[in-house]
Amino acid sequence: MSAQTIQGNINARKFQEMLLGWYDAHARNLPWRESRDPYRVWVSEIMLQQTKVAAVIEHYHEFLRRFPTVQKLASAREASVLAAWSGLGYYRRARMLHSAAKVIISERAGTFPQTAAEWRTLPGVGRYTAAAIASIAFGETAAVVDGNVERVLRRIVGKAISGEQVWDLAENLLDHERPGDSNQAMMELGATVCTPRSPACLTCPVTQICVSRGELADIAKAAPQKKREVHYALHRKNGTVFLVQRPKNARLMAGMWELPEIAPPRDRDNPLFKVKHSITITDYTVEIWALSEPVGVNGQWCAIERLPNLPLTGLARKVLRRSGIFPASGRPANSSRVSGQA
Ligand code: SF4
């Protein structure tokens, strides 16, 4: 289906006028909107990835106070950058930002890329972020699509579009004279009006041309998270740890290795430690118990140095890391040998 077919009777010009008119009157006063300086726009876009606006506001000024220029950021110690990022989470973003700053200084003599294509060559800059920076800071006609924009566009055209169809439609509806504002207006609409669970269609600036007018709201309704407590045994001896393999025909994580799940031990006071773990709609509280020999469990003693090569479940990896067994980094061994049989 072409973007024109998806767009149907929606007049792009009219859509842009309505959206930008609303944005000019109602846009939130956010600190990164005060400037089109590429360094500031870039920092804000990286901070905003998977993080709420309120949390970013708290950190944005302090980060820029410590690292007011890309030169200062590039020459900083990583520990300092991570400290300034503290509280924002997803620290890989901070490391990538730092790496990209070094690239800008060492390979581009401190000159920022201007196009989305160039921005994408930098560490930590994906398609969305590159288009956002290039359109806001340099006026490139590159549309952005994230979860918010995708939801808004789906509702506007009243069709379950996905992937490249969404990007094509976003490009078609982008204002070519004000691409940065047009992108920000779409993001603003998704964040403040066309929200996942309760779109405010009565106050929406594009309600006249929106095909679904909230009828697709249910698509985005999140299922409530369930809560569960589970218990796993940690058996160790002679440089090995006891693991079990999930059935090859298991619906989830088939064939992967994990710690043996057990009933809550009644004769012990406290687990070794607890971790939180979420899988789709379930939040688990996981209690790990240090036990001696496994009894009646079909599993294997796995050499600890081989663990990096084993297909471990995410939870097993988390637990083994937390217990100091699984190396936080290091070169994987050459094979995924397992040894011994319980
Ligand atoms: Fe979203 Fe409603 Fe506006 Fe359509 S009319 S874009 S569903 S808020």
Side-chain angles (χ1 to χ4, degrees), residues 93-106:
R93 292 179 300 171
R95 291 194 177 94
M96 293 287 114
L97 186 71
H98 191 208
S99 301
K102 289 179 178 173
V103 171
I104 289 170
I105 296 303
S106 64

Side-chain angles (χ1 to χ4, degrees), residues 233 235 242-244 259-262 293-300 341-342:
H235 307 282
F242 188 78
L243 298 177
V244 295
L259 298 164
E261 187 172 352
I262 56 172
E293 292 284 318
V295 180
V297 186
N298 191 14
Q300 299 196 23
Q341 187 87 28

Side-chain angles (χ1 to χ4, degrees), residues 16 21 26 33 61 64 76 83 156 160 206-207 218 221 226 228 281 284 297 302 336 338:
Q16 290 152 6
H26 298 284
R33 288 185 178 158
H61 288 303
L64 288 174
I156 286 170
V206 297
T207 193
D218 285 346
K221 261 189 188 159
K226 295 179 194 159
R228 253 192 88 193
I281 58 162
Y284 293 92
V297 186
C302 303
S336 56
V338 289

Side-chain angles (χ1 to χ4, degrees), residues 151-152 155-156 189 193-195 199-202 204-208 210-216:
R151 177 181 65 255
V152 174
R155 288 173 174 171
I156 286 170
L189 188 68
V193 178
C194 192
T195 54
C201 302
L202 289 178
C204 176
V206 297
T207 193
Q208 282 177 30
C210 176
V211 172
S212 75
R213 287 185 200 158
E215 283 169 21
L216 296 182

Side-chain angles (χ1 to χ4, degrees), residues 214 288 290 313:
I288 305 301
T313 64

